[in-house]
Amino acid sequence: MHTHWRVRGCARAGTEAGCIILQDGNKTYDITSASPKPAIDTYGTVTGTISGKMTMCMEGKPLEAAEWKPDPTKACTN
């Protein structure tokens, strides 16, 4: 079953090269396929569909058909 999701947080580099993850509360999402490609360490919102597929990133729930909207009014803290 595919479910539409909207998550907010900071785009971070994943463990695997080329992977981008986002932490929203205590949940982790794989936003590597989001378009436009999220810049690492920028805050934004991703809207997409959670996929049950395994990805090469092996971190978080993969979001497919995802759209990234950066929010320049918020900063990521390390």
Side-chain angles (χ1 to χ4, degrees):
M1 184 174 101
H2 295 305
T3 308
H4 207 65
W5 287 87
R6 174 175 284 137
V7 296
R8 293 176 182 86
C10 291
R12 302 287 191 196
T15 304
E16 299 294 323
C19 294
I20 305 170
I21 59 167
L22 182 141
Q23 190 89 25
D24 187 358
N26 61 354
K27 294 193 165 72
T28 302
Y29 299 91
D30 173 356
I31 62 168
T32 306
S33 68
S35 181
K37 185 175 180 175
I40 300 301
D41 293 333
T42 58
Y43 188 94
T45 302
V46 180
T47 307
T49 304
I50 288 196
S51 164
K53 295 182 206 166
M54 287 300 294
T55 68
M56 65 166 207
C57 297
M58 297 183 288
E59 278 183 277
K61 294 180 181 181
L63 282 178
E64 292 185 335
E67 182 182 350
W68 169 255
K69 290 187 181 171
D71 183 351
T73 65
K74 295 194 173 148
C76 293
T77 55
N78 291 337

